[in-house]
Structures are given as C-alpha cells and as structure tokens.
Amino acid sequence: MARLHPNGPKPAQITAGRIGLYVFLVVAALFFLLPLYTMVVTSLKSMDEIRLGQIFALPATLDFSAWATAWSGACMGTVCVGIRSGFWNSVAITLPSVALSVFIGAVNGYALSLWRPRGANLLFGLLMAGGLIPYQIFLYPMVRAMANIDLYNSLAGIILVHVIFGLPLVTLLFRNYFVSVPEELCKAARVDGAGFWRIFFEIMLPIAVPMVVVVSMLQFTGIWNDFLLGLVFAGRDNLPMTVQLNNIVNTTMGERTYNVNMAATILTAIVPLAIYFLSGRWFVRGIAAGAVKG
Amino acid sequence: MSIKRKPNLSATIALLPTWFVAVVVFIGTMAWSIRLSFTNSTLFPSSTYVGLAQYSKLFSSAKWLASLQNVLIFGVLYVAGCLLLGFLLAAALDRKIRFESAFRTIFLYPYAMSFVVTGLIWQWMLNPMLGIQASVRSLGWESFVLDWVVNRDMAIYALVLAGVWQGAGLVMVIALAGMRGIEAEQWKAARIDGIPVWRIYVSIILPQLGPALAAAGMLLAMGVIKTYDIVVAMTNGGPGNATEVPAKFIMDNLFGRQNLGLATAGATVLVLGVIIAVAPFRYAMHMRDKAKGAA
C-alpha cells in the first residue's frame, strides 16, 4: 500500500497489480454470469433464431411465448401441461417440510444441549452418522416401509422423508446454538416452576429466532432444489419442479424446444434465486453455518 | 454440567421421534440394505444368501468400475477446483475492491440453484451444434472445438466445469469470512517486513484458514459421493459410460433394472467409502477436542 501523507493528495493506487486484480475479477464475473445470460436470451428467442447457432446474440424481438409454454404447455413425455403443477407441488412439499423439520430440530437441539436426558450423546452420535451416509443405502427399505404404511407416492410421504433426512443437520445447528445459551437462564426458569415445554416456547424459541431464520433458509433451498428424494418418494402426482424440469428437457420426443427448456429452467431456479437476492446476508449465514458444521 | 436433578420425562419424550428415526430409519434400513447385498435378490427381496457373489459381480462390472474411476476424477478436480477458485476470488475481494458486494453476489448465486438446473444450463452452453462451439465457429474460427458433453474423453470435465461453477462461491464465502477475521496487526507486521502481498496470502493467511477450508472441502467431498442430479441432468451417464457415477449406478439397478442385490452391494461399498474417508478426520477432531478439554 502507498505511504500516506496526512496533508498530501489522495494516494493514487493504480498499479499494474491493481489492474490485474480487476481484470481477474471481471473475467471471473463474466464466467459466472454467462450461463445466466444465455439462459435468459435463449428463452426469449424463437426456434428459428436458435437454429442459427448464435448462443450469445441478443434476441431479435422480445418473445415471451416460450415462457408461457414452459409454464402451462410444455410436454413431459406425452403429457403437455407445463411446469406449473410442478411449481405448486414444490410449494406444497417445501413449506410443510421446512416448518416441521425446523420445529423438530429446534426441540431436539434444545433437549440435547440444555437437558441432556439419558443417551443424549448416543442419539446425537447416531444422528450425525446418519447425516453422513449416502441416501442410496436407505432408499429401498424406506420405499417398502412407506408402501406398507400407505405413505409411498404421497405428499405426506415425501414431506416425512424430507423431515427425516433434514434432522441431522437441523438438529446439529440448533444444538450448537443452544449450547452457547447460558445454562443459568434455564436453571432460573426451572426454579420459577417452568417446565420443559414452557421454557422452550417462552424463552428458548424467542432467543433462537435468528437461528430459525438461518436454518429455514438452508432447508428451504435444500428441499426446493432436491431431485433424488422427490423422484423416488413423491409419486407421479406430486413430482417436484426439479424432476418435472428434467423430464421436460431430457425426455422430449422430436425436436428439442430449447427456448421452452431454458424458460422452464429459469422458472425452476427463480424461487431459490429470489430468496438469495432478497435475503442476502441471511442466506449467506445459512450456507456458512451449514458448511462449517464441524 | 447437566441441569437435571431428576431425570426429566418431557425431554426424553420429546426426543422419542428422533430416536425412532436414528434407530429404525437410519440403522434399521441400512442393516436391511446390507443384508440384501448378501442375497440373490432381483426384483423382490430374497432370503437366499449367496455370500459375496453380488460383490464379485459388482467388481467385475465394467460400468461399476468406470463409475468409480469417474467419481474419483470428478471428485478430485471438483473439490480442488472449488477450493482454488474460491480462495482466489476471496483473496481478490479482500483487497479493498470497488463493487465488492456486487462481485460477491455474482460469484455466489449459482450455489442457490439446484444441480439439475446447473446441469441443464451447462448442457445448453456446451451443446456442440448450437452452443458456444457453434457461436465461436460462426465468428470465423472454423476449427474451434468445445464438444465436451458429447465427447467420451472430455464429458467428465464438462461435469467438473459445471460443478466448479456451482460450488466455488461457497468456498469464497467461507474463505472471505475467515480473511476478515484475521487481525490487522498481522498485516501491518508483514508489510513492515516487506513481504509481498501474494506471499502473505500463501504463507500467513492460508494456514490460518486451514480448518475452515478443510471443512468446506469435506462438505464438497461428501457431495461428490452423492453426485447424481447433475449427471442425470447433464449427460445421463453418457456418452457410453463416460460419466457414469456410483450413485447413479445404484439408482439404475435399484429402480430401473430391478437388481436389488447388486444395487445394495454398491450402496454398501459407498457407505464403506464414506467411513474410510471420514473416520480419520473425525478421529483427529475428537483427539483435538480431548486435548483441549484436558488443557
């Protein structure tokens, strides 16, 4: 850094290194933005224009018909109803899954860290191990068990599956959060006669609101973006948007309508992207918490 | 110490559903799957034990061996690529840059999108007939080739490219948070000693970010073992077996080919792989915590 003189002019910082730095950042930004740009322009082109093979060219006219088709007319195999139903399926799957898994995770974290009943450490260890193991080993027996209790291929079934597979991470994050809450707070409440649930609802849950937001963000994007579990457990009538999107793009017969495909792709990405842009800091905290889970 | 004087019934009851999930769902289904891997089950579970026959069949399957090799190549390059690019981006943003938050937003947004979306975007960009290749050729560079997704030798690198595009932002966020936590004193001392900036990042900053970057690398590696969506969306395992991965092999045999024994054997191998990969890391953490507790 240039030496600073209290009374001198603002130090000029344009050095070769500085320019190189900006060049690197701009090139990197182009690399990250290019796919988004191509998706958007492709979705606004007609197929005739796409066949010219100029993927980066701007569309000649703004044509939103591909968006309309993607939403309500695109074909999955022989059914042509668009990705609309997938959108509502994803909403119906994601909202209850997030609410339930966050609530149960918060109770778990609170019980495990502040009450520590018998076997708490064992339970926590088992959960963490379960969280590390690839889903594939659980799938077939779970499908059979869910079929036995009539939950396979149902909305309730896929929600239950998301709650189950979300438990390890959500419990971990809440446990780590509640561990840092002073125990005296809990002790004082007990002396005043409050029980397990009253302390949870009146003291601990209000304290944990920031964590609730962070974990909800993490779970929402995770569940919205899920593909595997939705594919296996949701059933034909409840397929989430990601699965329908893949069906539209990768199983179409005849010529591929790339403009419709790209519009459908953007529609699928738009909810998590909106969350990212609107919640910014919270989203970043969520993924950072999820990543550095120790 | 624990606050309980007498065992609290409410806390125990509140944890019962989680006990059920941990024991019945996680351990129970895993045991069931592992058991199936020793039987000759095909479409339906069978109780005829065949010892390690499914495993020897698995490891004589060209597709499985290809999938192991692919996931290894993909995993190493994807994790290394995300760590390297993420660290470079963080270091660049750490240099008091204008529009820092705009750059940060741009680098991280792909991470908000699913692997299915990521796979489809890059499938489109790399489409040789209509994508980047066609565009560059129409500019006059007739021999330009970027046909990764349809080229047997390059398809796996197309997956790496898409994966790094999606995941580098995560590493950037973690690294940048770490860099902001490093005291200004260290910078001053290093600058007074005349150490060039890049050396400070490599020799002073990087070692301090070690644990955070290791955690990020670990997380990415766990994702590698589960890699499924991005492959299905981008190449569906092709061309040939060029991008076949174990998670997809298992799913295909589980639900498509009705080959339960083989699929569960594959899943068991994956679980063993995770244990072998994670155990030393966990053990090191455990020992470190123990050492801390003793001090």
Side-chain angles (χ1 to χ4, degrees), chain B residues 2 19 21 25 51 87 92 118 154 172 183 203 219 232 235 250 275:
Chain B
S2 161
W19 271 109
V21 168
V25 182
F87 180 78
T118 302
M154 298 304 289
M172 175 208 67
E183 300 115 50
S203 306
L219 189 80
V232 170
T235 59
I250 295 166
I275 292 172

Side-chain angles (χ1 to χ4, degrees), chain A residues 18 32 42 108 137 183, chain B residues 1 18 33 95-96 109 124:
Chain A
R18 249 1 238 173
F32 281 95
T42 303
N108 282 349
I137 195 114
E183 267 182 34
Chain B
M1 272 288 100
T18 308
S33 282
R95 305 303 305 145
K96 298 195 175 62
Y109 87 88
W124 173 230

Side-chain angles (χ1 to χ4, degrees), chain B residues 87 140 161 197 224 235 238 264 271:
Chain B
F87 180 78
L161 178 66
V197 171
V224 168
T235 59
T264 46
V271 171

Side-chain angles (χ1 to χ4, degrees), chain A residues 140-153:
Chain A
Y140 180 74
M142 274 188 83
V143 166
R144 290 294 299 264
M146 302 278 282
N148 275 335
I149 52 173
D150 261 345
L151 282 177
Y152 184 51
N153 285 347

Side-chain angles (χ1 to χ4, degrees), chain A residues 239-259:
Chain A
L239 287 180
M241 214 174 179
T242 47
V243 178
Q244 289 202 354
L245 172 68
N246 190 57
N247 288 346
I248 287 177
V249 176
N250 283 333
T251 62
T252 333
M253 288 160 237
E255 194 196 28
R256 285 190 170 194
T257 46
Y258 293 102
N259 48 0

Side-chain angles (χ1 to χ4, degrees), chain A residues 1 18 21-22 24-26 28-29 31-36 38-39 42 50-51 53-56 104 107-108 111-112 114-119 122-123 126-127 130-134 136-144 164-165 167-168 183 186-187 190 196-197 225 227-228 231-232 242 245-246 249-250 256 258 262 265 268-269 272-273 276-277 283-284 287 290-294, chain B residues 1-4 8 10-12 14-15 18-19 21-23 25-27 29-30 32-34 36 45 85 88-89 92-93 95-98 103-114 116-117 120-125 127 130-132 134-135 138 161 165 168 170 173-174 191 215 219 222 225-226 228-229 232-233 247 250-251 254-255 260 267-268 270-271 274 278 282 285:
Chain A
M1 252 169 268
R18 249 1 238 173
L21 203 56
Y22 277 102
F24 169 66
L25 281 171
V26 169
F31 167 67
F32 281 95
L33 281 176
L34 210 52
L36 188 63
T38 21
M39 280 205 319
T42 303
I50 289 171
R51 281 188 211 103
Q54 311 244 316
I55 195 171
F56 301 125
I104 299 175
V107 173
N108 282 349
L112 288 172
L114 292 168
W115 292 81
R116 288 177 235 170
R118 276 170 69 93
L122 176 64
L123 176 61
L126 289 177
L127 263 191
L132 287 176
I133 288 170
Q136 277 78 8
I137 195 114
F138 305 127
L139 291 185
Y140 180 74
M142 274 188 83
V143 166
R144 290 294 299 264
I164 286 173
F165 285 122
L167 272 190
E183 267 182 34
C186 204
K187 278 185 188 162
R190 289 201 81 188
F196 178 85
W197 290 109
N225 287 340
F227 177 78
L228 179 70
L231 179 71
V232 175
T242 47
L245 172 68
N246 190 57
V249 176
N250 283 333
R256 285 190 170 194
Y258 293 102
M262 285 303 113
T265 311
T268 308
L273 278 183
Y276 171 54
F277 287 121
F283 178 89
V284 173
I287 67 156
V292 194
K293 53 182 180 166
Chain B
M1 272 288 100
S2 161
I3 53 167
K4 67 163 188 253
N8 188 284
S10 305
T12 309
L15 288 175
T18 308
W19 271 109
V21 168
V23 175
V25 182
F26 289 161
I27 297 180
T29 60
M30 183 160 70
W32 187 349
S33 282
I34 294 173
L36 283 176
L85 183 57
L88 287 177
L89 291 173
L93 287 181
R95 305 303 305 145
K96 298 195 175 62
I97 289 291
R98 270 166 163 269
F103 278 119
R104 238 181 1 200
T105 307
I106 291 168
F107 299 150
L108 184 62
Y109 87 88
Y111 193 73
M113 311 207 289
S114 61
V116 174
V117 166
L120 294 178
I121 297 174
W122 281 95
Q123 188 196 63
W124 173 230
M125 302 270 293
N127 179 321
L130 300 167
I132 300 174
S135 223
S138 73
L161 178 66
W165 177 81
L170 170 76
V173 167
I174 293 166
R191 294 303 286 162
L219 189 80
M222 297 299 307
I225 293 169
K226 295 177 186 163
Y228 175 73
D229 321 9
V232 170
I250 295 166
M251 288 294 289
L254 215 48
F255 298 107
L260 265 181
T268 307
L270 269 201
V271 171
V274 172
V278 175
R282 288 267 123 183
M285 300 249 300

Side-chain angles (χ1 to χ4, degrees), chain A residues 7-280:
Chain A
N7 300 318
K10 204 172 160 201
Q13 286 203 334
I14 305 171
T15 60
R18 249 1 238 173
I19 293 169
L21 203 56
Y22 277 102
V23 169
F24 169 66
L25 281 171
V26 169
V27 170
L30 285 178
F31 167 67
F32 281 95
L33 281 176
L34 210 52
L36 188 63
Y37 166 80
T38 21
M39 280 205 319
V40 174
V41 295
T42 303
S43 75
L44 295 172
K45 288 176 184 172
S46 66
M47 275 311 291
D48 285 337
E49 230 182 320
I50 289 171
R51 281 188 211 103
L52 297 176
Q54 311 244 316
I55 195 171
F56 301 125
L58 284 168
T61 52
L62 286 188
D63 178 3
F64 284 92
S65 59
W67 285 68
T69 310
W71 180 248
S72 56
C75 301
M76 291 153 244
T78 52
V79 188
C80 298
V81 291
I83 206 162
R84 183 177 44 182
S85 68
F87 176 86
W88 293 112
N89 289 343
S90 282
V91 171
I93 293 169
T94 306
L95 292 182
S97 302
V98 171
L100 271 173
S101 68
V102 170
F103 177 75
I104 299 175
V107 173
N108 282 349
Y110 159 71
L112 288 172
S113 60
L114 292 168
W115 292 81
R116 288 177 235 170
R118 276 170 69 93
N121 286 335
L122 176 64
L123 176 61
F124 187 64
L126 289 177
L127 263 191
M128 291 308 104
L132 287 176
I133 288 170
Y135 292 163
Q136 277 78 8
I137 195 114
F138 305 127
L139 291 185
Y140 180 74
M142 274 188 83
V143 166
R144 290 294 299 264
M146 302 278 282
N148 275 335
I149 52 173
D150 261 345
L151 282 177
Y152 184 51
N153 285 347
S154 74
L155 187 60
I158 176 68
I159 291 170
L160 181 65
V161 168
H162 275 305
V163 172
I164 286 173
F165 285 122
L167 272 190
L169 180 61
V170 172
T171 301
L172 172 71
L173 293 174
F174 276 108
R175 177 185 167 272
N176 289 354
Y177 187 83
F178 283 121
V179 156
S180 64
V181 171
E183 267 182 34
E184 284 68 29
L185 209 59
C186 204
K187 278 185 188 162
R190 289 201 81 188
V191 171
D192 289 344
F196 178 85
W197 290 109
R198 217 170 136 206
I199 298 176
F200 177 70
F201 282 111
E202 291 184 16
I203 303 174
M204 294 306 163
L205 203 54
I207 292 180
V209 165
M211 202 64 209
V212 169
V213 176
V214 162
V215 175
S216 302
M217 216 74 85
L218 193 66
Q219 282 293 89
F220 192 102
T221 39
I223 295 171
W224 187 278
N225 287 340
D226 157 72
F227 177 78
L228 179 70
L229 298 178
L231 179 71
V232 175
F233 290 98
R236 195 172 276 274
D237 296 334
N238 308 300
L239 287 180
M241 214 174 179
T242 47
V243 178
Q244 289 202 354
L245 172 68
N246 190 57
N247 288 346
I248 287 177
V249 176
N250 283 333
T251 62
T252 333
M253 288 160 237
E255 194 196 28
R256 285 190 170 194
T257 46
Y258 293 102
N259 48 0
V260 174
N261 290 354
M262 285 303 113
T265 311
I266 298 170
L267 286 170
T268 308
I270 219 160
V271 173
L273 278 183
I275 290 184
Y276 171 54
F277 287 121
L278 296 177
S279 77

